[in-house]
Amino acid sequence: MDNLIALLIAAPLLGAAVLLCGGRRLDKIGHWLGTLLAASSFVIGLVLFADMLGRSADDRAMYQHLFSWIPVGGFQADIAFQLDQLSMTFVLLITGVGTLIHVYSIGYMEHDERRRRFFGYLNLFVAAMLLLVLADNYLLLYFGWEGVGLASYLLIGFWQHKPSAATAAKKAFLVNRVGDIGLSIAIMLMFTTFGTFAFGPVLESAGETSEGKLTAIGLMLLLAACGKSAQVPLQSWLGDAMEGPTPVSALIHAATMVTAGVYLIVRSADIFNAAPDAQLVVTVVGAVTLLFGAIVGCAKDDIKKALAGSTMSQIGYMILAAGLGPIGYAFAIMHLVTHGFFKAGLFLGAGSVMHGMNDEVDMRKYGGLRKYMPVTFVTFGLGYLAIIGFPGLSGFFSKDKIIEAAFAKGGTEGWILGAVTLLGAAITAYYMTRVMLMTFFGEKRWQPDAEGREPHPHESPKSMTIPMVLLAFGSVFAGGVFGIGDRFVTWLEPVTAFEHGHPPISAGAITSATVAVMVIGVGIAYLQYGRRPVPVVAPRGSLLTRAARRDLLQDDFNHAVFVTGGTHLTRSLVYVDHSLVDGVVNGTAAGVGGLSGRLRKLQNGYVRSYAVSMFGGTAVLIAATLLMRAV
Amino acid sequence: MNPVNYLYLAALLFTIGAVGVLIRRNAIVVFMCVELMLNACNLAFVTFSRMHGNLDGQIVAFFTMVVAAAEVVVGLAIIVSVFRSRHSASVDDAGLMKL
Amino acid sequence: MSFPLLTATAAVPAVGAILTAAVPAARRTAAKWLALIVSLVTLVLAGIVFARFEPGGDRYQLVESHSWIRDFGVRYELGVDGIGVALIALTALLIPFIVLAGWHDADPLETSSKRWRPTQGFFALILMVEAMVILSFEATDVFLFYILFEAMLIPMYFLIGGFGDRAHSGSDENAAAQRSYAAVKFLLYNLVGGLIMLAAVIGLYTVAGNFSLTEIAEARANGSLEMATSTERWLFLGFFFAFAVKAPLWPLHTWLPNAMGEATAPVAVLITAVVDKVGTFAMLRFCLGLFPEASKWATPAIIVLALISIVYGALVAVGQRDIKRLVAYASISHFGFIIMGIFAMTTQGQSGATLYMVNHGISTAALMLVAGFLITRRGSRLIADYGGVQKVAPVLAGTFLIGGLATLSLPGLAPFVSEFLVLVGTFARYPVAGIVATTGIVLAALYVLVLYQRTMTGPVKEEVRSMPDLRPRELAVVAPLIAVLLFLGVFPKPLTDVVDPAVRHTMSDVQRTDPQPEVPVQNVEAAK
C-alpha cells in the first residue's frame, strides 16, 4: 500500500509531460487526458485514505523511499515520501478540488486554442503540490515549493500576449523567491544544527538545541510562508495574480498553493512550539494580514481582486491559528480545508459570471444577475454564507474555533488577537455582502463594450456548473462533518498534537459575538449597497478607500524602493562596470600604448645609431662588471 | 717581444673598425669594418692563447673565422641584392622597416 | 602497458582537428560531418573513461607517465580523479552540440572567394580547443598543464576574432573592430594571467625540483618538502591570479562579456561552459593541492571577491540590453558561486562547486544556444528588438524558458542541486557569506524572467511575426541538453558518486574537516 504514494504524484506528472511534449496531435483529447489523470490521482488518494482509516490512529503514517537524491558527505537528501493524516488531508483537498477544477476548465477554456497546454500546466501544478505535501524532508518540500511556484508562474502568465499578465506572473515568481530565501536559509540552519533536514529527526530533536536557533529557523520558515501564502509584507503578488484564468485563481490562488505556508508552519509545529518568540511573530503576521486583506477586499471593484483580498485575509486567520500552537494547529488546517471548498466555489462562481459577461470583471457593471444565472447565484450564495460564518455552514465551524483559540491564547495578547479576529469577521461579512449585492442584486448596470457588444448573461455549461454544485455541497456540509464531535481534531491529533484552549470568556459568548459582528457587517453592507443603487463609476471615496484600492500603498512603496531604486542601481552598476572596472584596464592599455609610441621614436632607421647604442651598452656593461669586481 | 703589444694592436684595430662602422655610410665599407673588428678579436684570442699557454683561444679563433666566412657570404648577398633593387649601397637609405 | 585511454581521449579530437582542416574547400559539408563524428567518438571515449573510473579506487586513475624534458624533470603525466572525470565528460558532451549548433555559423558568404575555407577552420579550431581542454583536465604535471593552459588561448583567439556573430548592430567595419577588440582583450587578459603563472611555475620548480603534482603534493603532505610561508603565498597568488582571470572572478571579469557578446553563440558556449572551467578546475586541483596553507590564508579575501561576483554579476546582468552580454554576466555570477564553493572548504561546498561546473556548462549551453537560434533569426542581439516570440515560436520560447529556469536554479533541474550544495557548504563555515549569497537566488530570477518577459511575451512585434520555430537540427541540439538537465536534477547520484571521493582527497590535502552539526542526530536511519 505504501508504494502507491509515488503513484499519486506520478499520474499528474505523466499528464504534464505528455501534454506539454505531445504537440498538436493531442489537442482534441488533451483536456480529457489531463482530467482523467488528476481524477486517477484522487482515486488513489481515496484508496490510501480508506486504508489509513482501517488502521489505528498512531499507526497511520506511511512511508515510501524511492532513491537517494543528493548524497554528499553528511548531506543526505532523499526522494522519499511521508503520508500521514496531515498530508492525507491535503492530498484529498488537492486532488479532489483539483479534479473538479479540471472539469470546470474543460468548459471555461473551451475556446482557447492553447487549452492542451493549460491542462498540462494544471497537471504540473497538481504534481508539484502533491510533492510539496508528501515530501518527507524539507529539501524535497522545497522542490515541490518551487515547483508550484513555477506552475503558478506559467498559469498566471498563461495569456502572455497581455503585458499585464506577463508582468503579474514575473512579480509572483519574484516575490515568492524572496520567501524562498527564507526556506533555503531555514534548511541550511537545520543542516548545520541537526546534520539533517528530514522531518522525523529534525522535529524529534528540536528540543535539544538553543531557543535562539529555533527562533531563527522559525522566522525563516515564516518568511517562506509569507511569500507563498501572500502574507504581509510579501502579499503584493496575489492581487496581480488574478490576471490568470479564473480556474487557476480558484485552484492555486485560493484553495491550495497559497495555503502551503500554513502547511509549512503546521508541519514544523515542534520547532515553533519550542520557539515562543517566533510563534508570536507568526500570530502578529497573521493578524495584520487578516485585517489588511479584509480592508483591501472592501475597496476593490474587480470581483476577482475582491476575492483575492478575502483569500489573503482568510489565510491570515489560518496563519494566526497556526501561530497559537497546539490549541490552533488543527483549526488552522480545518479552516484551510473548508476555505478550500468555499473559496474555490466562489472563484468558480466569479468565473462563471465573467464567462457570461464577456470577461467583464468590474462588479459595478454587473447587477441583478441572479435572474440570468440561477445555478451560479445559488452556489455562489452558499459559498458566501459559508465564508461569512453563517451558523451551520462550514465557515462558521472553522472560523469560530479560530476566534475561540485566539482568545484562549491568554493575557493581553489573547484579548488583542481575539478582538482582531472578531473585527476581521465583521469586515469579512461586509465585503462579501458587498460582492454579493453588487453582482447578483439590484438593477442591471452593464452596457455595450467598446466594440459595441452587449453582454448576454447566460448560465454556464454543465461542465462548469457541476463542479460549482459539488463545491457548494462542500461549503455547506464540510464544517459540520469536521467540527461536530471534534472529528477533524481527533483525526489530526497524532500529527499536530492538540490542546483544548480555555478562553477567558465562555465559548457560547464568543460564538454569539461572532454571529453578532457578522450581522453588523452584513447590515452595514446592505445599507450601503442594497438600499441605494450602485454607481457605475466608482466614487472618489475616502482616503482609506483610495488607499485600499491601491493595496494600502504597499505596492507603491515596493515600486518606489525596489523597482525604481533597483533600476537605478543596476544602471549605475552597468556604468561602473564599463567605466571604472573596465576603465582601469583600458586606461592601463592606453598608458602602455602611449609609452610605446614615445619609445618608438628611438627607432630612427639609421644603422649607425643602433650601432652606437650597442657599443654604448656594451661599454656600460663592461664598466659595470669591472666596477663590481673592483668593489 | 712582449705579447701585450699584440693586445694593444688588437684594441687599436678594433677601435678603428668600430669607428668605421659608426661613421661610414657605404654598406661595403661598414662591412669591411665589421670584418676588421672580428679580426681584431681573433688577434686578441690568439694572443691570450699564447699568454696562457693553452689552445682554447686558437680554437675560438677558428670558430670566429668560420662564422665570419658565413657572415661574408650572407652579408654580401644581401648588400648585392639591396644594391640591385635600390641602386645604392648607403645604409641610411635602407630604412623601409622603420615605422 | 595498457591502452593509453586518456591520451586517446585527447588525441582523437586533435587528430580530428587536423583532418578537418585538411578537407578541401568545396567539401564543406564533409568537414562538418567529420567534426561531428570526431566529437561523438570523443564522447564515446569519455564515456569509457567515466565507466572505467572506480570511485572507490586510487585518487588518480588511468595514469600514464612518460619522460618528456628530462633535464627539467618535465613529464608527460596524465591521470584523472573524480573531478577531472566529471569535467571531461562535460566537455565531451557539449562539443557535439556546439558543433551541431554552429552548423551554419561559418558558412562562407556568397561573395567570398572559392578557395576561402572558413568552415573547415571553424570546426578544426573547436576540436583543437576540445583536445587541449580535455588534456588539461588530465594533466598531473604542472608544466604540461601550463603549456595547455596557454596554448588553448590561440585557437580561442581565432574563434572569437575570426568568426564573429553576424547579428550585430551597426556597420560591418564597426562590428569587425569590436570583434577584434574583444579577441585581443581576451588574449591579453589571459596572457597576463598566464605570464604571472609562468613565473609561479618557475618558482615552484626552483623550490620543489620537479613539476609532478602528485610528487609535490605528497612531499608537502609528509613534510619532506618545506616551503617558507611567504614563498608559498606568493606562488599561490601567482597560480590563483591566472585561474581567477580565466574563471573569471570580479574584478578580472570584463573580458568575458566582450568575448561572449562578439563571438557566435556556440563559441560563447565554448568559452564559458568549457574553457573557463579549466580555471575553476585548476583552483581546486593546483591551488588547494599544492599550496594548502596559503589557500586557507587567502580564503577570506577570495570568499569576499566571490560574493561580490555573485551579487555584482547578477545586478549588472539585470541592467543589460544585449541578450548575450546578459548571459555573460549571469555566468560571472555563477562563477562566483563555484569559487565560493571551492574555498568554503567543506565537502558540500566543493562537491557542489564541481557539480556546479558541470551543471552550469549544460544549462548555459542550453540557454545560450537557444538565444543564438533566436538571434540568428532576427539578426539582432538587443532585447528591445524582440517581443511576443512565444506566440509565433512556442517551442523556441519553451526551450528558452527551460534554459532560463535552469540558470535560475529551479529545483528539478540540475543547477539547483549544485547551487544548494554550495550554499549549504558555505553556510556551514561562513554563515554570513551563505546568507548574502542567497540574494543571488532572487537576482537570478530577476534577470532571467525580465529577459523572458521582454523577449517572449507581450504583443508580437512586427519583425518577429514571420519567425520560424525551431528546426529539427536545432531541436536535436536543445532537447538532449534539457533531458540531461532534468536527469541530473532528479538523479545526480552518478555524478556525486564520482566526485565525492575526489573532494574527500582535496579536503585532506588542505587538512580540513566538515563542521559538525550542533545536535547530531545519532541515527538518521533509526529515526525513520
Side-chain angles (χ1 to χ4, degrees), chain A residues 414-439:
Chain A
W415 284 105
I416 295 173
L417 291 175
V420 167
T421 48
L422 273 180
L423 180 60
I427 308 178
T428 307
Y430 171 80
Y431 66 72
M432 282 312 299
T433 310
R434 176 174 173 269
V435 169
M436 196 69 195
L437 290 173
M438 284 173 88
T439 307

Side-chain angles (χ1 to χ4, degrees), chain A residues 298-311:
Chain A
C298 293
K300 294 281 184 187
D301 289 330
D302 178 327
I303 185 168
K304 286 178 74 182
K305 292 203 170 164
L307 289 176
S310 158
T311 303

Side-chain angles (χ1 to χ4, degrees), chain A residues 193-279:
Chain A
T193 313
F194 305 108
T196 174
F197 36 79
F199 289 150
V202 166
L203 298 175
E204 268 166 38
S205 46
E208 291 174 38
T209 184
S210 67
E211 198 185 311
K213 270 266 165 68
L214 289 174
T215 308
I217 296 177
L219 289 178
M220 285 299 124
L221 290 174
L222 175 65
L223 178 63
C226 282
K228 197 61 75 190
S229 296
Q231 300 294 295
V232 175
L234 298 179
Q235 86 298 347
S236 62
W237 62 273
L238 187 61
D240 294 355
M242 296 300 129
E243 287 287 342
T246 310
V248 173
S249 312
L251 178 61
I252 301 185
H253 306 117
T256 54
M257 184 191 86
V258 286
T259 57
V262 183
Y263 171 78
L264 182 67
I265 293 178
V266 173
R267 175 57 81 196
S268 318
D270 290 316
I271 293 174
F272 282 96
N273 289 345
D277 293 342
Q279 274 186 320

Side-chain angles (χ1 to χ4, degrees), chain A residues 10-22 33-34 37 116-117 119-127:
Chain A
L13 194 62
L14 174 74
V18 170
L19 290 177
L20 293 178
C21 303
L33 185 70
L37 284 165
R116 168 181 58 85
R117 191 176 307 186
F119 276 83
Y121 292 159
L122 274 188
N123 270 352
L124 178 68
F125 168 75
V126 171

Side-chain angles (χ1 to χ4, degrees), chain A residues 320-579:
Chain A
L320 188 148
L324 294 172
I327 55 173
Y329 292 134
F331 301 131
I333 300 297
M334 186 163 133
H335 192 55
L336 190 158
V337 175
T338 57
H339 175 257
F341 285 119
F342 56 68
K343 188 51 72 59
L346 287 170
F347 264 110
L348 294 191
S352 173
V353 169
M354 287 160 57
H355 198 69
M357 297 289 291
N358 291 352
D359 288 330
E360 178 61 60
V361 289
D362 188 349
M363 289 191 289
R364 293 187 184 275
K365 295 185 182 149
Y366 293 165
L369 287 175
R370 68 181 186 282
K371 282 171 282 184
Y372 301 92
M373 306 180 176
V375 182
T376 307
F377 168 61
V378 172
T379 53
F380 196 92
L382 289 172
Y384 156 72
L385 291 176
I387 193 174
I388 64 170
F390 193 81
L393 275 71
S394 32
F396 168 76
F397 288 99
S398 51
K399 198 187 286 178
D400 188 49
K401 290 288 184 194
I402 292 181
I403 297 174
E404 261 179 52
F407 276 109
K409 167 96 171 155
T412 328
E413 294 161 26
W415 284 105
I416 295 173
L417 291 175
V420 167
T421 48
L422 273 180
L423 180 60
I427 308 178
T428 307
Y430 171 80
Y431 66 72
M432 282 312 299
T433 310
R434 176 174 173 269
V435 169
M436 196 69 195
L437 290 173
M438 284 173 88
T439 307
F440 291 102
F441 293 89
E443 292 303 310
K444 70 168 199 164
R445 296 184 296 274
W446 59 84
Q447 292 143 355
D449 60 14
E451 292 154 33
R453 288 180 305 160
E454 172 113 15
H456 296 287
H458 55 85
E459 191 51 87
S460 301
K462 284 257 169 9
S463 65
M464 288 168 66
T465 49
I466 290 172
M468 285 154 58
V469 171
L470 289 174
L471 286 171
F473 265 100
S475 321
V476 175
F477 299 111
V481 173
F482 295 159
I484 297 170
D486 279 350
R487 271 198 215 120
F488 195 77
V489 173
T490 322
W491 157 253
L492 272 189
E493 196 179 350
V495 184
T496 60
F498 178 69
E499 281 170 28
H500 267 290
H502 300 286
I505 39 177
S506 76
I510 293 176
T511 308
S512 326
T514 314
V515 174
V517 296
M518 175 198 86
V519 171
I520 294 169
V522 171
I524 297 174
Y526 179 70
L527 289 178
Q528 276 191 325
Y529 296 95
R531 297 279 299 277
R532 281 180 273 164
V534 180
V536 178
V537 178
R540 190 149 178 274
S542 68
L543 200 64
L544 179 65
T545 315
R546 272 179 282 147
R549 280 194 194 125
R550 302 188 62 104
D551 296 329
L552 294 178
L553 303 180
Q554 208 266 350
D555 222 22
D556 298 85
F557 173 80
N558 282 353
H559 198 274
V561 174
F562 297 113
V563 180
T564 316
T567 313
H568 285 300
L569 179 66
T570 55
R571 290 250 171 87
S572 46
L573 274 182
V574 170
Y575 177 77
V576 165
D577 195 60
H578 190 262
S579 311

Side-chain angles (χ1 to χ4, degrees), chain A residues 24 63 65 67-75 78-80 113-114 117 121 136 139 142-144 146-147 150 153-154 160-163 166-170 173-174 177-178 180-181 183-185 187-198 200-202 204-205 208-210 213 566 569-571 573-574 576-578 581-582 585-586 589, chain C residues 181 185 189 250-255 257-258 312 315-316 318-321 325 329 347-348 351-352 355 390-391 394 401 405 408-412 416-417 419-421 423-424 427-428 434-435 438-439 441-442 444-446 449-450 452-453 456-459 488-493 496-497 500 504 514 516-521 524-525 527-528:
Chain A
R24 301 235 163 81
Y63 302 94
H65 184 271
F67 54 85
S68 175
W69 181 23
I70 314 178
V72 173
F75 186 96
D78 294 332
I79 303 270
E113 54 177 353
R114 293 157 71 228
R117 191 176 307 186
Y121 292 159
D136 96 323
L139 197 68
Y142 187 53
F143 189 164
E146 292 254 308
L150 170 67
Y153 169 79
L154 293 169
Q160 297 183 320
H161 51 89
K162 288 198 294 182
T167 310
K170 181 188 68 182
F173 197 94
L174 282 176
R177 272 251 150 164
V178 175
D180 294 347
I181 286 188
L183 190 52
S184 48
I185 294 179
I187 296 174
M188 292 191 257
L189 269 169
M190 284 174 200
F191 177 69
T192 53
T193 313
F194 305 108
T196 174
F197 36 79
V202 166
E204 268 166 38
S205 46
E208 291 174 38
T209 184
S210 67
K213 270 266 165 68
L569 179 66
T570 55
R571 290 250 171 87
L573 274 182
V574 170
V576 165
D577 195 60
H578 190 262
V581 182
D582 212 16
V585 178
N586 285 341
Chain C
Y181 172 73
K185 193 168 179 180
Y189 261 86
W250 188 90
L252 305 170
H253 64 275
T254 49
W255 63 269
N258 285 92
Y312 179 94
L315 279 174
V316 178
V318 176
Q320 289 302 314
R321 302 199 176 114
R325 289 178 66 94
Y329 278 103
T347 319
Q348 289 79 37
S351 295
L355 292 188
Q390 201 274 341
K391 189 99 178 157
L401 181 62
L405 292 173
L408 63 78
S409 302
L410 191 85
F416 167 74
V417 175
E419 187 162 303
F420 201 82
L421 282 173
L423 285 173
V424 161
F427 184 84
I435 290 171
T438 52
T439 53
I441 298 181
V442 178
L446 187 61
L449 294 185
V450 167
Y452 184 78
Q453 187 192 353
M456 298 297 173
T457 69
L488 288 180
V490 179
F491 194 60
K493 201 164 176 297
T496 55
D497 280 351
D500 217 21
R504 273 171 227 271
D514 284 334
Q516 287 304 303
E518 185 186 315
V519 185
V521 173
V524 179
E525 293 309 312
K528 281 180 190 166

